[in-house]
Amino acid sequence: MLQRFTKLIVPILIVALAVTLFMYFKSTKPQQPPVEVKEKVWMVEAMRAEFESLAPSQTLYGTVESYAMVTAAAPISAIVDKVAVKEGDEAKAGTLLLKLDAKDLRIPVDQAAADVADIKTQIELQTLANRANQERLAHERKVLELKREKVERTRQLLKKNLASQSAVDDVKEALVRQEYSVVGAELSVQESRLKLDQLKAKLSKARASLEQAQLNRQRGKVTAPYAARIAKVSVSEGSRVGAGSALLSYYALSSLELRAQLPASEVGQVEKALRKGESYVGFVKLDSGEQVALPLLRLAGEATTSGADAFFDLSQASQDLRPGDLLEISLRGAARENLLALPYSAIYGKDRIYLIEKGRLAARTVKVIGEVLRDGRLWALIEPNFPQGSSVCITHLPNAVTGLKVAEVTE
């Protein structure tokens, strides 16, 4: 009996000892402090919003063009006798540029002059014929009157039985023939008059052809009408050109303009300003380092979905510019009140910035109306919709959102 009790109690004692040891070890193990989660604070730079009166500017890219590009064409088919200039040459007013062969230019003039002389001779002959026809008509009419008188006398004699009926018939027949002769004479006069009018019309046409030939003769000698630069020479000496073929192109040195596309968002504002007489000036920096002011002349008559072309006066710029040159221009408008200049690092997307309010970011949607130069760098110019003196975050954070905790960097 004792032996059976011993076998039963020993396992129970072992289990109890194990539980006791487990509870002891659990109660005596070291305690770890609880993990404290802290919100990260982003260090940023900020600036106080100071509203100013500033003139907004837009950076545009434009090409140089000429509104007086002239292409001289051959007036007739001829041989090129002389080419006095090359592409890129500058020519003074009255300078010979190109000349066609004098014989090719003279022959049409001589032919036209001969046509005029020939038609003048025909007119003289036709005038003589017309005069003769008129004299013939007058003679035939006199004879007709005599025939009529003779018929009347013969009728009177017939009544007195002094003439026969056959005599009356004979004079009537002669009267009819004379009337027909008068009709033929009148037709000859009319025909000669119409022929004379026709020859006069031909003479006018021949004189016009002569004038055209003389004009072509003058145009066969191309001279610079003003101070110009040669843009292109399309022929060489000795080559034959057809009528209307391009000979060379040139443009006035004073005709250069800069064409740059103005964004669609600014077209309406610029158009209103121009109508009110306000001035818009663009500034361009040339290769020489010189900065030149270019007044805005006008906007293009047609627009696209992206904007409208603006034209700037290049008369004050260097004459080294040529059509096709690409220039960067800064367009400045009239000064406006209550504007804020910010570095581009403060702009998110096209129209969003972040203010710092109570240590956290707060997004604001603003309107960017242009640019302004600050310390040699371009800053965005915006119309603020928040109070002056607000703290604006100028550090560009890729994870910027409203409510992000930040701290301003202090020097």
Side-chain angles (χ1 to χ4, degrees), residues 167-178:
V168 175
D169 294 338
D170 291 339
V171 295
K172 285 183 176 180
E173 182 180 355
L175 177 61
V176 172
R177 285 198 298 269
Q178 186 58 35

Side-chain angles (χ1 to χ4, degrees), residues 395-409:
T395 299
H396 199 87
L397 297 175
N399 60 334
V401 292
T402 297
L404 184 68
K405 192 172 184 179
V406 296
E408 298 183 22
V409 177

Side-chain angles (χ1 to χ4, degrees), residues 66-335:
S66 171
Y67 61 80
M69 181 71 72
V70 178
T71 299
I76 61 171
S77 178
I79 298 293
V80 179
D81 181 51
K82 183 178 182 181
V83 180
V85 292
K86 295 181 176 62
E87 292 184 9
D89 287 348
E90 293 185 8
K92 297 180 180 179
T95 303
L96 175 66
L97 305 181
L98 182 143
K99 183 174 64 173
L100 299 180
D101 185 73
K103 293 181 181 179
D104 290 332
L105 296 171
R106 189 189 67 249
I107 290 176
V109 176
D110 294 342
Q111 291 176 341
D115 290 340
V116 170
D118 179 41
I119 295 175
K120 283 183 177 179
T121 302
Q122 294 182 41
I123 289 176
E124 291 179 1
L125 292 175
Q126 190 61 41
T127 301
L128 294 175
N130 188 34
R131 188 178 301 120
N133 288 331
Q134 289 177 349
E135 292 177 356
R136 176 192 166 198
L137 177 60
H139 175 73
E140 294 292 347
R141 284 175 175 172
K142 288 180 181 179
V143 174
L144 179 61
E145 290 297 327
L146 293 175
K147 296 289 185 181
R148 287 173 177 170
E149 292 176 358
K150 187 174 181 180
V151 169
E152 187 62 27
R153 286 196 303 271
T154 305
R155 285 177 176 173
Q156 294 297 329
L157 293 174
L158 179 61
K159 290 180 180 180
K160 297 178 181 180
N161 294 322
L162 297 176
S164 62
Q165 183 63 40
S166 60
V168 175
D169 294 338
D170 291 339
V171 295
K172 285 183 176 180
E173 182 180 355
L175 177 61
V176 172
R177 285 198 298 269
Q178 186 58 35
E179 288 176 344
Y180 182 75
S181 297
V182 171
V183 172
E186 290 176 345
L187 179 61
S188 297
V189 171
Q190 292 178 358
E191 287 181 350
S192 62
R193 185 182 300 113
L194 293 176
K195 287 181 179 179
L196 186 60
D197 293 340
Q198 187 178 34
L199 288 174
K200 288 180 179 179
K202 288 184 178 180
L203 178 61
S204 298
K205 184 178 179 180
R207 283 174 174 169
S209 298
L210 176 59
E211 186 177 355
Q212 182 65 57
Q214 292 172 340
L215 186 60
N216 291 340
R217 189 175 186 179
Q218 296 175 2
R219 289 174 176 172
K221 184 178 180 182
V222 183
T223 58
Y226 38 68
R229 178 181 288 127
I230 308 303
K232 184 178 182 181
V233 178
S234 304
V235 297
S236 57
E237 293 183 2
S239 59
R240 173 169 286 279
V241 294
S245 299
L247 301 175
L248 54 81
S249 300
Y250 59 88
Y251 59 90
L253 296 176
S254 60
S255 67
L256 296 181
E257 293 181 334
L258 182 67
R259 177 197 286 261
Q261 189 174 68
L262 195 65
S265 59
E266 302 295 328
V267 172
Q269 180 179 344
V270 174
E271 183 71 28
K272 290 179 181 178
L274 291 177
R275 291 184 184 278
K276 292 179 181 178
E278 298 178 5
S279 62
Y280 268 80
V281 180
F283 291 86
V284 63
K285 191 173 183 180
L286 303 178
D287 293 337
S288 61
E290 179 186 6
Q291 190 176 37
V292 181
L294 308 180
L296 176 61
L297 298 175
R298 64 190 184 279
L299 297 181
E302 295 182 356
T304 62
T305 54
S306 57
D309 289 341
F311 294 88
F312 298 86
D313 184 12
L314 282 175
S315 59
Q316 302 300 322
S318 171
Q319 292 188 352
D320 294 337
L321 295 174
R322 285 169 168 76
D325 285 343
L326 180 65
L327 297 178
E328 178 181 319
I329 181 172
S330 177
L331 176 63
R332 299 182 189 177

Side-chain angles (χ1 to χ4, degrees), residues 7-23:
K7 289 182 180 180
L8 181 61
I9 198 62
V10 170
I12 296 174
L13 291 175
I14 293 173
V15 172
L17 180 61
V19 172
T20 302
L21 290 174
F22 172 76
M23 296 300 294

